Amino acid sequence: MSIETGAPAQIEVVGLRKVFPLSGGGEFAALDDISLKINKGEIYGIIGMSGAGKSTLIRCMNRLETPTDGKILIDGQDVLTMNQKQLNMMRRKMSMIFQQFNLQMQKTVGRNVRYPLEIAGVPKHKANQRVKELLKIVGLEAKEDAYPAQLSGGQKQRVAIARALASNPEVLLCDEATSALDPMTTQSILALLQDINKRLGITVVIITHEMAVIRQVCTRVAILDGGKIAEEGTVDEVFVHTRSAAGKRLFGIIADQENSSDEKLTIPALRIVFDDENAQKPIIATLIRELGVDVNILAADVKRIGEKSYGQMLIAMPEDLESRKKTMDYLKEQGLTVKEVYPQ
Amino acid sequence: MNAAEIFQLIWVAFLETLYMTIPASLIAYVLGLPLGVLLVITRKDGIKPVPTFNTVLGAVVNLLRSIPFVILLAMLFPVTRIVMGTAIGTKSVIFPLVISAFPYVARMVESSLIDVDRGIIEAAQSMGSTTWQIVYKVLLPEAMPSLINGAAICVTTILAYTAMASTAGGGGLGSLAIIKGLNLRKYDIMYVASIVLVILVQLITVSGTKLTRRLDHRIR
């Protein structure tokens, strides 16, 4: 696992384990020796299938869940050795938003957002003023007196975000924050999170099972599988050069297609993986024109990740060895990843 | 006996009923509300888990709740005499009423608070709330409609208990119906007293339901 050095760590997890006793005796390790470092000011994604332990991991960070073993350092301070008072102070610097929003249903939007200020003892007039500022950030100034039941899912999550920002946190933990929202709303919430990260410099940790979420906003990502980190790195890196099986399973369309097209393969083929730079070049055209190779495209797919495109293409493997070699050499020269794949 | 006389009897008994029900309900809540809160927060999965304490408290509450009021009333005579100065009369009944009702209130409060969405409590914890802040700023406000509904049920139960006050020489509509009405075979008094009781119960129930609905902002 690559842990970058240089940027100061906001959150450092070292050898974290969380074991649940099983009812029939024995135990289940929800988290098994997890180590990772989240830098100040980045948007860090943790992705995994349900049951991979990602929720447990993020809940350990603010000790909603007590780990069995290991260390969690927030700004260098170990969360696990804190007493309740220190923990409460730390939690005010590390807010959380949830899949089900978890707003108080009997309080107005304004009072929900004011809650963190109330418990911190902020004077009323100051708190009220801050509530208005916060609601403005999330674009809900008009809803201060509404009750959560009158809002849409996306609006509720915006209120939850405003509430999370009230205490001027350094970290925002997002536990499946967009999973209960439709794709359009997900986009707008992600854009808001990105905006908050940029404007306020808040470190954001996102837990999700949707690759699209990671692709859209995260700088780095860890793939969690069976309580272990299967893979970690920058989003570009992990997405283009997926190594782990868990990563391939999660990467939606490309990985799916990779697998399914491999399964359907009846003849030997070449898989070409390209990224932004060479996606712009007319590689196949050049291949046909200049090398005189017949190209038979079996499958192709292009994905946009943020500002960049990534894709893969399956072409039938040229039958004579010479043109096969020529083709592969040429593609490699162009900086593409080429792999021979055979029918299974 | 003419209508005016019946009205006079009913009116006095009505006041006596209120005189027993209102203070008994208030004191039962003063004791039962914190107890209900304790029953919820000290659970194994509560915000301040003390499982052993919770089990013991639960057992005591159940024990008190399982003694029928009439028996408790008799059993408590000596204690009532010490606490209230006398064991006989309308006022003295308030004490056994409280003893009988507060465990009931505690359970009622418990069931209201237990229904508060776990996620909302977790959100409050994640924001660095103290236990006390979660109780009075999250648990109680979120459970308010349900607490009001429970209070209406508790008050009607206490009201029903007051009907047994005659056992300890107490007054009220129940005593009137039994002693003057049933025992002296003045059935008109019995019926009128009963009807007034029914109306009273209806009034409490209906206003409880209405208030619950008006306070609940989940549906709208």
Side-chain angles (χ1 to χ4, degrees):
Chain A
M1 180 189 330
S2 66
I3 288 183
E4 278 118 287
T5 44
Q10 179 71 258
I11 302 174
E12 204 172 343
V13 178
V14 187
L16 190 73
R17 270 168 54 79
K18 171 71 182 178
V19 174
F20 290 105
L22 292 176
S23 51
E27 49 188 32
F28 166 72
L31 295 174
D32 194 4
D33 195 21
I34 301 275
S35 294
L36 51 85
K37 198 180 120 184
I38 298 172
N39 299 324
K40 273 202 164 79
E42 74 173 331
I43 305 186
Y44 192 92
I46 298 170
I47 188 167
M49 310 286 236
S50 49
K54 53 194 192 301
S55 253
T56 312
L57 174 57
I58 203 172
R59 290 162 56 85
C60 281
M61 289 180 186
N62 62 359
R63 238 174 80 183
L64 278 182
E65 204 89 64
T66 310
T68 313
D69 211 355
K71 265 189 194 162
I72 296 172
L73 305 171
I74 309 292
D75 251 339
Q77 279 187 297
D78 194 347
V79 177
L80 305 181
T81 57
M82 288 179 180
N83 61 31
Q84 190 61 45
K85 207 168 172 186
Q86 292 168 318
L87 183 64
N88 282 345
M89 294 323 278
M90 184 280 290
R91 282 172 170 172
R92 288 175 193 176
K93 292 281 136 214
M94 191 152 103
S95 297
M96 193 172 201
I97 56 173
F98 305 82
Q99 179 173 5
Q100 293 306 330
F101 327 121
N102 294 346
L103 298 175
Q104 283 188 250
M105 301 304 282
Q106 309 296 359
K107 287 185 175 173
T108 61
V109 165
R111 291 211 56 204
N112 265 288
V113 177
R114 210 176 69 190
Y115 178 85
L117 304 166
E118 282 175 22
I119 63 168
V122 176
K124 209 167 181 177
H125 65 281
K126 261 193 180 164
N128 288 340
Q129 198 185 330
R130 178 108 178 93
V131 167
K132 289 196 197 310
E133 286 168 23
L134 289 160
L135 287 175
K136 202 165 175 190
I137 293 177
V138 300
L140 285 177
E141 331 55 330
K143 297 287 183 189
E144 188 173 344
D145 295 322
Y147 284 90
Q150 299 164 305
L151 305 181
S152 69
Q155 289 174 324
K156 282 182 200 161
Q157 197 59 290
R158 281 169 186 275
V159 176
I161 292 171
R163 179 175 70 172
L165 296 178
S167 56
N168 279 319
E170 288 163 17
V171 182
L172 179 61
L173 305 175
C174 311
D175 189 0
E176 296 275 9
T178 57
S179 301
L181 305 173
D182 62 67
M184 281 273 281
T185 316
T186 296
Q187 293 300 313
S188 76
I189 293 293
L190 290 176
L192 176 62
L193 290 177
Q194 212 162 19
D195 181 53
I196 285 164
N197 166 262
K198 277 201 191 113
R199 278 206 297 170
L200 309 174
I202 296 175
T203 308
V204 180
V205 183
I206 293 179
I207 291 284
T208 183
H209 63 270
E210 293 169 300
M211 195 54 212
V213 171
I214 301 283
R215 282 206 304 258
Q216 194 178 338
V217 294
C218 295
T219 43
R220 289 197 302 139
V221 61
I223 299 174
L224 217 57
D225 185 36
K228 289 184 198 289
I229 293 182
E231 195 162 347
E232 203 232 10
T234 66
V235 172
D236 294 358
E237 206 174 278
V238 171
F239 188 73
V240 178
H241 306 289
T242 318
R243 293 174 310 242
S244 64
K248 288 182 180 158
R249 272 205 311 276
L250 281 160
F251 279 10
I253 298 166
I254 287 202
D256 276 356
Q257 201 172 12
E258 195 169 293
N259 293 334
S260 60
S261 55
D262 283 6
E263 275 163 28
K264 277 182 268 167
L265 221 52
T266 51
I267 51 167
L270 295 176
R271 175 181 301 116
I272 308 164
V273 180
F274 50 90
D275 60 20
D276 205 42
E277 273 172 56
N278 35 44
Q280 314 290 338
K281 291 188 254 173
I283 285 165
I284 299 299
T286 314
L287 200 61
I288 301 169
R289 223 170 29 228
E290 289 176 19
L291 300 177
V293 181
D294 284 339
V295 176
N296 179 13
I297 300 172
L298 303 174
D301 182 48
V302 182
K303 272 270 123 193
R304 290 192 69 77
I305 307 172
E307 297 300 304
K308 298 181 188 169
S309 346
Y310 296 94
Q312 66 143 355
M313 186 181 278
L314 273 178
I315 61 171
M317 200 182 285
E319 274 171 22
D320 66 293
L321 279 173
E322 200 196 328
S323 40
R324 185 185 305 177
K325 190 175 177 308
K326 265 201 298 189
T327 306
M328 290 188 63
D329 286 349
Y330 170 76
L331 292 171
K332 278 177 188 158
E333 265 169 43
Q334 300 299 316
L336 298 164
T337 314
V338 190
K339 220 172 104 188
E340 298 177 29
V341 280
Y342 295 92
Q344 286 162 339
Chain B
M1 198 175 286
N2 63 34
E5 281 169 328
I6 293 179
F7 177 80
Q8 183 61 26
L9 279 173
I10 295 284
W11 178 245
V12 170
F14 173 74
L15 291 180
E16 282 170 345
T17 295
L18 294 187
Y19 179 70
M20 288 182 283
T21 308
I22 294 170
S25 302
L26 288 176
I27 302 166
Y29 261 88
V30 168
L31 299 173
L33 187 69
L35 216 55
V37 170
L38 277 179
L39 279 171
V40 172
I41 66 173
T42 61
R43 279 163 68 111
K44 206 168 77 202
D45 57 353
I47 54 172
K48 202 86 198 167
V50 196
T52 340
F53 172 77
N54 189 272
T55 312
V56 173
L57 192 64
V60 172
V61 165
N62 279 347
L63 181 83
L64 280 171
R65 271 222 314 154
S66 52
I67 305 170
F69 179 63
V70 188
I71 297 167
L72 193 76
L73 189 67
M75 271 169 54
L76 281 175
F77 271 154
V79 191
T80 307
R81 193 168 295 128
I82 295 165
V83 177
M84 305 298 290
T86 170
I88 302 162
T90 307
K91 189 178 132 195
S92 75
V93 179
I94 294 172
F95 179 69
L97 274 176
V98 168
I99 300 300
S100 182
F102 86 85
Y104 188 77
V105 170
R107 283 288 182 215
M108 198 61 103
V109 169
E110 182 192 19
S111 84
S112 293
L113 298 185
I114 224 105
D115 280 344
V116 174
D117 185 349
R118 233 209 110 76
I120 295 175
I121 298 162
E122 271 190 348
Q125 285 177 314
S126 80
M127 287 183 267
S129 315
T130 61
T131 306
W132 173 238
Q133 284 167 336
I134 294 178
V135 169
Y136 86 102
K137 279 182 178 293
V138 180
L139 271 180
L140 294 175
E142 282 303 292
M144 196 47 82
S146 169
L147 285 169
I148 298 287
N149 198 37
I153 298 171
C154 285
V155 173
T156 52
T157 305
I158 293 169
L159 186 67
Y161 285 171
T162 65
M164 289 169 242
S166 61
T167 316
L173 290 163
S175 296
L176 184 68
I178 293 166
I179 296 168
K180 286 253 162 55
L182 193 66
N183 297 355
L184 301 179
R185 294 172 191 244
K186 294 201 168 131
Y187 295 118
D188 45 353
I189 290 184
M190 189 179 81
Y191 287 125
V192 177
S194 303
I195 289 164
V196 174
L197 269 175
V198 169
I199 292 170
L200 206 51
V201 170
Q202 283 299 322
L203 228 61
I204 295 165
T205 312
V206 169
S207 46
T209 313
K210 274 214 169 132
L211 199 56
T212 302
R213 233 182 264 151
R214 249 192 49 195
L215 284 177
D216 199 345
H217 297 289
R218 276 174 300 185
I219 9 156
R220 205 164 272 189

